[in-house]
Amino acid sequence: MQTLVAVSEVTNEVVSRSDDLFPTQPLNCANLLVISLGTGSAKKEKYTAKMASKWGVLGWLLQPNSTPIIDIYNQASTHMVDYFLSTMFHAQTCQRNYLRIQAENLTGDSSLVDIATKDNLKDLVGIGEGLLHSPFLSVNLQTGNSEPALCGGTNKDALIRFAKMLSDEHKFRLSKSQHKN
């Protein structure tokens, strides 16, 4: 959600013709480099229509080891933001300018945001290191599912590529600002 808010803020600045930003057209993704690092998502609970039809109002709030309405909302908002941004960047043929990395299927304490024990933090470091060496995924715009990206490689490869793009952009802006002075 924060990534969508950040892109919206940049767009608002561009639309208002802020002097702090480079001149561009609104929503021109070619001029944006967006990296979105997720905090991870819990292993997906499988809720079926048959299960939900028996819950009633309280059942959506209280199930053994889960709160379906919260789980579904959180999962949907994460996927919708990623799908929207992927679609927006893809439509303008600048999908390489958007990078999303998210750990999926976290379980136990690792899936909770308020467990800061030494053991859990150690586990999270291990999950992050494993995520670096996992295949880089992108959203399949036909299915909405995350799949290995066409460019291939790992998340580490994608981050290195993105860091180079950011570095090149920084050097370009520095050279432009030195020519003005």
Side-chain angles (χ1 to χ4, degrees), residues 113-176:
V113 296
D114 58 353
I115 307 294
T117 63
K118 285 184 180 184
D119 286 341
N120 193 42
L121 293 175
K122 183 179 176 183
D123 289 345
L124 289 171
V125 167
I127 290 167
E129 289 172 351
L131 189 58
L132 274 176
H133 302 290
S134 297
F136 173 56
L137 304 176
S138 63
V139 174
N140 177 323
L141 298 180
Q142 301 300 313
T143 66
N145 295 326
S146 294
E147 301 177 345
L150 294 176
C151 61
T154 65
N155 287 320
K156 182 178 179 180
D157 298 329
L159 286 166
I160 289 169
R161 178 186 56 80
F162 212 82
K164 181 172 178 2
M165 290 170 60
L166 287 169
S167 176
D168 291 346
E169 180 64 24
H170 179 70
K171 290 174 189 174
F172 174 73
R173 289 184 184 200
L174 278 177
S175 71
K176 280 182 71 174

